[in-house]
Amino acid sequence: MLLQAAGALSSLRILTPLMISNGGLRFASSTAAGVVDKIGFVGLGAMGHRMAKHLLDSGKALVVYDSNRFAIDRLLEDAGAAAASGGSGTVEPARSPADLAETRGVSVVFTMLPGAMAARKAYLGADGLLAASGGVVPRVMVDCTTLDPPTARELEGRVRSTRINTALAGPPVPGLAAESPALLDAPVTGGIVGADKGTLSFLVGGEEAALPFVEPLLRSMGNRVIWCGDAGDAQAARLCNTLVMAATMAATAEAMALARRLGVDPWVITRVLNSGSGRSWVSQEYNPVPGINTDAPASQGYRNGLRSAQVVEHLAMALTAADKCHSPVPVCRNTLKLFNKVVEDGLGDQDFSSVYRYVYGSGSSNNEWRSGEQIFNSTH
Amino acid sequence: MLLQAAGALSSLRILTPLMISNGGLRFASSTAAGVVDKIGFVGLGAMGHRMAKHLLDSGKALVVYDSNRFAIDRLLEDAGAAAASGGSGTVEPARSPADLAETRGVSVVFTMLPGAMAARKAYLGADGLLAASGGVVPRVMVDCTTLDPPTARELEGRVRSTRINTALAGPPVPGLAAESPALLDAPVTGGIVGADKGTLSFLVGGEEAALPFVEPLLRSMGNRVIWCGDAGDAQAARLCNTLVMAATMAATAEAMALARRLGVDPWVITRVLNSGSGRSWVSQEYNPVPGINTDAPASQGYRNGLRSAQVVEHLAMALTAADKCHSPVPVCRNTLKLFNKVVEDGLGDQDFSSVYRYVYGSGSSNNEWRSGEQIFNSTH
């Protein structure tokens, strides 16, 4: 699925099933045939690099920026390799986000940054996207960074109040303002593995008219697009998902450690959980006990997953949001406390399922882990 | 599937797939044709009555006891109604568990009691099952009560050291001692709805040779039998499942309340959770927000489900087990604290998904619930 030139937007519209919302089927439109425009990408870290590579592999002309020159070089190498094997995708480095946003033909910019501070800098900094002289060329910006909802809403407002450089920009996107760009917040779930395999889920919020314009691109990087509502709503949904995921992981790890101490085989307790009310994505696909799910990080030394340090960061963000609206989250708050201990214990760079190592302690395959008794005796 | 007389056990064996254990298929044997023997049932409360009724409906001759005479009468009425419509099942009241265990032809006894104290009384009391004069008639006893594992193990030992009344008992069960009965612990998941529909899951532990003898009966009351290991292991697995189920419910309710306060539609957050790492039995089938799952108690005024008071009881039992073996369960411990507050707030008799009412407070459809802000402001 190619993103077609904005100029061809009205020529031929193809309706494709986008998603099932409450009881109804909605349709997104895309256009066929036309000039291939350019896609901007800011933030080429572990996630961004993999996502940009999917765009490259699907033949896109990318204009990219990262504060780390090596990250740009890595993608340039990918582009060289792709070209050598007949690929039509290209990579053009920009000197800054502002430079990128001034580049003729850039119709969409994706940003995938490590957090709120980096995202603010990329959008609002002295050489940020919105500092493009003469206005910005891209009509739609898509921020895939995981952010707190207020920051997402603030960025959306700032983008909306920026002017389009109409001399260099493509024609207006139907349904969007002609003089100012739109920002969608589009945080992802699925982690590095999902980014690698192109199986990310994008949670998207903001001006809905912008979605059809970018959805084919999202679908070349992921396999699910869930519309969440207004600006910030996708970030809110993303944080709520993290709360549930982390608490379920913690409880499952605690229960499986307890089962093992009570003499119950991990396979048996997994079967019991999965047979009914204890079932979850954690117990079925991401089991924290090594050997149960061969593809899960637990079976690979707790490597190549979602780092506990990052879970802590996102949980803290979610709890801040909960505090601001006075929403009680006692179990999730305790989950953050547990993952904080996991990180303090030196497991921050391991996959977050290593919380099982923490609660099961020396009973696990690695004898160097302290036993649960030693860790917790003083605190409960 | 009829339970055949023990006397016919060796005549014809039918292999039926029992369960998939780690990578292998195991088979249970049952016998075909023979004299129909009697099934004992002690404890005809909300769960036991429904379970006994399935046995009755499948044509069994029951000998029953409950300390509440009305419970016995209710099942006698069921038997009358069944007979009037051509059913062959019968119900014969016993004066006590001891009386029941002295009854000729009773090959199996099920017990389904409200807790450890009642179970101890039914087995070890002055007129308990094991007090049958001249030894007990049933060769296998099956305790479906939810118990702490040590009590389950103690009962199993006491049953094993009791003598069979060989004058009145059927022939020995292959693989079991000829002179003493066996006790399986077989706690259930699926609740009253599962008991009603015959869709319970039985988690079973103890002497494995006893399983084929009773499995057809379990399958007339439920649709899943999971072998868990030695005596007490099934109870341990049952408690661990409760830990995960309750913590997942709490976290999901907290996250959905937060999402709603952040302005995200409950259907959107449900879709986000179910699309990936936040997915669970709770979010998919037992959603705590009214209207999402029409069959779930949340959509029926939080009635007809698993009462929070009972969840508290089972969580407390699980935490006691965790404390005894020094297994850290910080998130599950906090879950118990939350459900204790739910019960203190007067929601103990509602389904445990009403924890959502508690954390979402007055934002729910019932305006009498206090807001989360008021409830929790003082504690975090």
Side-chain angles (χ1 to χ4, degrees):
Chain A
M1 291 202 278
L2 288 172
L3 178 77
Q4 306 304 333
L9 254 180
S10 57
S11 62
L12 174 60
R13 306 182 74 83
I14 304 166
L15 291 176
T16 54
L18 169 61
M19 56 185 281
I20 298 183
S21 52
N22 306 350
L25 202 57
R26 301 199 303 102
F27 288 87
S29 56
S30 63
T31 59
V35 184
V36 174
D37 49 5
K38 293 178 178 175
I39 312 297
F41 211 110
V42 177
L44 301 170
M47 292 292 291
H49 171 247
R50 287 168 170 83
M51 292 163 68
K53 197 162 176 306
H54 283 293
L55 295 172
L56 180 66
D57 290 346
S58 65
K60 298 291 180 293
L62 303 184
V63 184
V64 305
Y65 178 76
D66 194 289
S67 58
N68 177 356
R69 176 70 214 188
F70 293 114
I72 297 179
D73 288 346
R74 180 170 55 176
L75 194 66
L76 283 167
E77 282 166 28
D78 291 333
S85 53
S88 60
T90 60
V91 172
E92 173 187 343
R95 290 185 309 274
S96 67
D99 179 40
L100 187 155
E102 290 163 13
T103 306
R104 179 189 291 270
V106 173
S107 58
V108 177
V109 176
F110 289 91
T111 51
M112 183 45 146
L113 296 152
M117 200 182 297
R120 297 183 82 87
K121 189 156 183 275
Y123 281 88
L124 311 178
D127 61 354
L129 290 163
L130 306 191
S133 68
V136 300
V137 174
R139 290 197 170 270
V140 179
M141 304 186 177
V142 183
D143 186 19
C144 301
T145 310
T146 296
L147 291 179
D148 56 300
T151 299
R153 288 193 196 102
E154 184 196 342
L155 290 180
E156 195 269 344
R158 295 291 290 270
V159 168
R160 196 157 22 84
S161 61
T162 300
R163 289 192 63 80
I164 292 272
N165 183 336
T166 46
L168 298 179
V173 175
L176 294 183
E179 295 80 24
S180 64
L183 175 65
L184 297 176
D185 47 317
V188 302
T189 63
I192 288 176
V193 173
D196 206 47
K197 294 185 178 169
T199 57
L200 293 173
S201 290
F202 288 91
L203 316 184
V204 192
E207 282 202 66
E208 201 166 354
L211 182 60
F213 194 69
V214 300
E215 204 200 350
L217 294 168
L218 297 176
R219 290 192 180 273
S220 76
M221 299 182 280
N223 58 6
R224 211 185 296 247
V225 175
I226 302 177
W227 184 256
C228 293
D230 296 335
D233 287 0
Q235 297 290 359
R238 169 77 174 77
L239 293 181
C240 291
N241 187 76
T242 296
L243 288 182
V244 174
M245 176 192 76
T248 306
M249 175 59 81
T252 304
E254 289 177 11
M256 294 200 67
L258 172 59
R260 206 154 168 184
R261 287 204 175 87
L262 293 174
V264 181
D265 185 291
W267 284 92
V268 167
I269 183 67
T270 298
R271 201 183 305 135
V272 168
L273 294 177
N274 289 346
S275 77
S277 52
R279 190 186 75 220
S280 71
W281 171 82
V282 169
S283 64
Q284 291 182 310
E285 295 184 30
Y286 213 89
N287 204 292
V289 178
I292 303 277
N293 298 128
T294 49
D295 287 345
S299 300
Q300 296 162 13
Y302 298 98
R303 286 188 298 270
N304 305 321
L306 176 58
R307 296 179 310 112
S308 286
Q310 198 171 10
V311 168
V312 160
E313 201 179 299
H314 292 172
L315 283 175
M317 216 183 277
L319 292 185
T320 301
D323 287 343
K324 280 187 185 158
C325 65
H326 303 292
S327 202
V329 285
V331 169
C332 295
R333 193 176 303 277
N334 210 254
T335 301
L336 172 59
K337 282 185 192 163
L338 176 59
F339 277 103
N340 264 327
K341 287 186 185 175
V342 170
V343 171
E344 283 164 18
D345 209 47
L347 301 177
D349 282 334
Q350 293 196 4
D351 179 71
F352 78 121
S353 61
S354 65
V355 62
Y356 173 74
R357 272 191 165 165
Y358 186 74
V359 293
Y360 192 54
S362 61
S364 80
S365 53
N366 281 36
N367 285 326
E368 73 265 29
W369 300 110
R370 285 176 292 150
S371 75
E373 291 84 330
Q374 290 171 319
I375 295 169
F376 274 87
N377 259 357
S378 58
T379 59
H380 74 229
Chain B
M1 289 203 279
L2 290 172
L3 178 77
Q4 307 303 335
L9 254 181
S10 57
S11 62
L12 172 59
R13 307 181 73 84
I14 302 165
L15 291 176
T16 54
L18 169 61
M19 57 185 278
I20 298 184
S21 53
N22 306 349
L25 201 57
R26 301 201 302 103
F27 288 87
S29 56
S30 63
T31 60
V35 184
V36 174
D37 49 4
K38 293 178 178 172
I39 311 299
F41 210 110
V42 177
L44 301 170
M47 292 293 290
H49 170 247
R50 287 168 169 83
M51 292 163 68
K53 198 161 176 306
H54 283 292
L55 295 173
L56 180 66
D57 290 345
S58 66
K60 298 293 180 294
L62 303 184
V63 183
V64 305
Y65 177 76
D66 194 289
S67 58
N68 177 357
R69 177 68 215 191
F70 294 113
I72 297 179
D73 288 344
R74 181 170 56 177
L75 195 66
L76 283 168
E77 281 165 29
D78 291 334
S85 53
S88 61
T90 59
V91 171
E92 174 186 345
R95 289 185 309 275
S96 67
D99 179 39
L100 187 155
E102 290 163 12
T103 306
R104 179 190 292 271
V106 173
S107 58
V108 178
V109 176
F110 289 92
T111 51
M112 182 45 146
L113 297 153
M117 200 183 296
R120 297 184 82 87
K121 189 155 183 276
Y123 281 89
L124 311 177
D127 61 354
L129 290 162
L130 305 191
S133 68
V136 300
V137 174
R139 290 196 171 273
V140 179
M141 303 185 178
V142 183
D143 186 18
C144 301
T145 310
T146 296
L147 292 178
D148 56 299
T151 299
R153 288 192 195 101
E154 185 196 341
L155 290 180
E156 194 270 343
R158 294 291 289 272
V159 168
R160 195 157 24 82
S161 61
T162 301
R163 289 190 63 80
I164 291 272
N165 183 335
T166 47
L168 299 179
V173 175
L176 295 183
E179 296 80 23
S180 64
L183 174 66
L184 297 176
D185 47 317
V188 302
T189 63
I192 288 177
V193 172
D196 207 49
K197 294 186 179 169
T199 57
L200 293 173
S201 290
F202 288 90
L203 316 184
V204 192
E207 282 202 65
E208 200 166 354
L211 181 61
F213 193 68
V214 300
E215 203 199 351
L217 294 168
L218 296 176
R219 289 193 180 272
S220 75
M221 299 182 281
N223 58 7
R224 211 185 295 249
V225 176
I226 302 176
W227 184 256
C228 293
D230 296 335
D233 287 359
Q235 297 290 358
R238 169 77 173 77
L239 294 181
C240 291
N241 186 76
T242 296
L243 289 182
V244 174
M245 176 193 74
T248 307
M249 175 59 80
T252 303
E254 289 176 10
M256 293 198 68
L258 172 59
R260 208 154 166 183
R261 287 204 176 88
L262 293 175
V264 181
D265 183 291
W267 285 92
V268 167
I269 183 68
T270 298
R271 201 183 305 136
V272 168
L273 294 176
N274 289 348
S275 78
S277 53
R279 191 185 76 220
S280 71
W281 171 83
V282 169
S283 64
Q284 291 183 309
E285 296 185 29
Y286 213 87
N287 204 293
V289 178
I292 304 277
N293 298 128
T294 50
D295 287 345
S299 300
Q300 296 162 12
Y302 297 99
R303 286 188 298 269
N304 306 321
L306 176 58
R307 296 179 309 113
S308 285
Q310 197 170 13
V311 168
V312 160
E313 201 181 298
H314 293 172
L315 283 174
M317 215 183 275
L319 292 185
T320 302
D323 286 343
K324 280 187 183 155
C325 66
H326 304 291
S327 202
V329 285
V331 170
C332 295
R333 192 176 304 277
N334 211 255
T335 301
L336 172 58
K337 281 184 193 165
L338 175 58
F339 277 104
N340 265 327
K341 287 186 184 174
V342 170
V343 171
E344 284 164 18
D345 209 46
L347 301 177
D349 282 333
Q350 293 196 3
D351 180 71
F352 78 120
S353 61
S354 64
V355 63
Y356 173 73
R357 271 191 167 166
Y358 186 73
V359 294
Y360 192 52
S362 61
S364 78
S365 52
N366 281 35
N367 285 327
E368 73 264 30
W369 300 110
R370 284 176 292 152
S371 75
E373 292 82 333
Q374 291 170 319
I375 294 169
F376 273 86
N377 258 356
S378 58
T379 60
H380 74 227

